[in-house]
């Protein structure tokens, strides 16, 4: 997705404001999604240094259905080409990191944590998220989100333009999303659990030393 992000699509994709996750703890090793050293975990009511944060145990890998494309498929061939440019790239590890990035980004959005978003989003994507956060702040509204389950995550598309790689993921989750107005009433969303399918695209230039994959586009289907 190359244009600015509509506010309603961003709000529809948010999850788990109360989960405090750090990608280094989720992944256990460097994949390019982790936060810079020393940064605090977002979303806590009273932030604590990241090194002191007590995190919930990570969800076992088998609890979330993960799907990798056949290496012989067009998408699988692109992933092989990406690995040719970056030998450290592993599609399976990428999916683990992407799940953590999904949780971290939507949590940071719900908390209005612009610093975390700026580190993990492209400039254009950040501008869309920032606009939505500002609109919420001006209106005096509060984002409440809950992630009930991530049902599946898979690599849907992959593209390599020169040394710039794009990978699009399909993420299926059960969520509760609502916006609370100043007076405490619900101005958008509902308490009901809804299954949401998101397509998120991450991008990285394999020439640069920074291993971070930046979120460049989101949409719900």
């Amino acid at each position: 997705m190359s244009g600015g992000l509509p506010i309603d699509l961003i709000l529809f994709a948010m999850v788990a404001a109360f989960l405090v996750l750090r990608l280094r703890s989720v992944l256990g090793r460097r994949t390019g999604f982790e936060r810079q050293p020393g940064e605090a975990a977002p979303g806590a009511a009273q932030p604590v240094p990241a090194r002191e944060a007590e995190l919930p145990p990570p969800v076992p890998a088998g609890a979330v259905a993960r799907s990798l494309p056949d290496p012989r498929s067009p998408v699988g061939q692109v992933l092989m080409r990406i690995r040719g440019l970056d030998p450290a790239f592993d599609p399976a590890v990428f999916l683990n990191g992407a799940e953590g990035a999904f949780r971290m980004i939507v949590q940071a959005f719900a908390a209005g944590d612009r610093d975390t978003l700026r580190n993990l989003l492209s400039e254009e994507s950040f501008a869309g998220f920032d606009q939505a956060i500002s609109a919420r702040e001006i209106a005096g509204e509060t984002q409440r989100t809950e992630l009930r389950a991530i049902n599946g995550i898979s690599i849907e598309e992959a593209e390599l333009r020169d040394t710039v790689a794009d990978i699009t993921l399909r993420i299926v989750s059960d969520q509760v999303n609502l916006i609370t107005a100043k007076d405490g009433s619900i101005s958008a969303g509902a308490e009901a659990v809804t299954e949401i399918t998101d397509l998120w695209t991450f991008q990285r230039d394999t020439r640069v030393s920074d291993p971070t994959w930046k979120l460049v586009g989101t949409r719900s289907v």
Side-chain angles (χ1 to χ4, degrees):
M1 179 173 172
S2 59
L5 301 176
I7 293 176
D8 59 338
L9 293 186
I10 297 172
L11 295 179
F12 197 55
M14 294 304 98
V15 297
F18 299 104
L19 290 177
V20 183
L21 297 174
R22 286 186 298 131
L23 288 177
R24 190 173 300 277
S25 296
V26 173
L27 303 179
R29 59 171 171 159
R30 190 171 180 81
T31 68
F33 284 108
E34 63 267 24
R35 186 187 291 106
Q36 297 300 313
E39 291 182 4
Q46 295 182 344
V48 297
R51 64 180 179 277
E52 299 176 1
E54 292 295 332
L55 302 176
V59 177
V64 178
R66 291 174 170 81
S67 177
L68 293 173
D70 189 315
R72 297 166 296 182
S73 69
V75 174
Q77 289 295 303
V78 174
L79 297 179
M80 293 288 289
R81 289 168 54 204
I82 295 173
R83 188 163 190 170
L85 294 175
D86 178 9
F89 173 74
D90 182 329
V93 175
F94 177 88
L95 280 185
N96 289 340
E99 181 190 340
F102 179 82
R103 295 178 183 273
M104 176 179 248
I105 291 170
V106 298
Q107 174 193 332
F109 174 82
D113 183 355
R114 291 179 173 86
D115 289 339
T116 294
L117 294 174
R118 189 177 286 107
N119 288 333
L120 293 172
L121 275 60
S122 68
E123 291 184 6
E124 185 176 17
S125 293
F126 175 77
F129 276 65
D130 182 52
Q131 180 183 8
I133 291 172
S134 296
R136 192 174 66 205
E137 291 171 342
I138 292 171
E141 295 175 329
T142 301
Q143 172 77 32
R144 176 190 159 196
T145 59
E146 296 178 16
L147 173 64
R148 297 299 178 86
I150 295 181
N151 302 319
I153 181 169
S154 61
I155 296 178
E156 286 286 297
E157 302 173 9
E159 184 179 0
L160 185 61
R161 302 181 309 280
D162 192 10
T163 59
V164 177
D166 284 16
I167 298 179
T168 298
L169 307 175
R170 179 180 293 267
I171 306 172
V172 181
S173 60
D174 291 338
Q175 305 177 23
V176 174
N177 301 275
L178 55 87
I179 301 293
T180 305
K182 284 182 179 181
D183 61 3
S185 63
I186 296 176
S187 58
E191 296 280 357
V193 177
T194 304
E195 183 178 87
I196 298 175
T197 300
D198 291 300
L199 295 179
W200 281 30
T201 300
F202 291 91
Q203 184 180 92
R204 177 175 176 258
D205 189 339
T206 59
R207 292 175 300 183
V208 302
S209 58
D210 182 0
T212 304
W213 288 80
K214 301 271 188 173
L215 181 66
V216 297
T218 70
R219 61 188 175 97
S220 296
V221 297

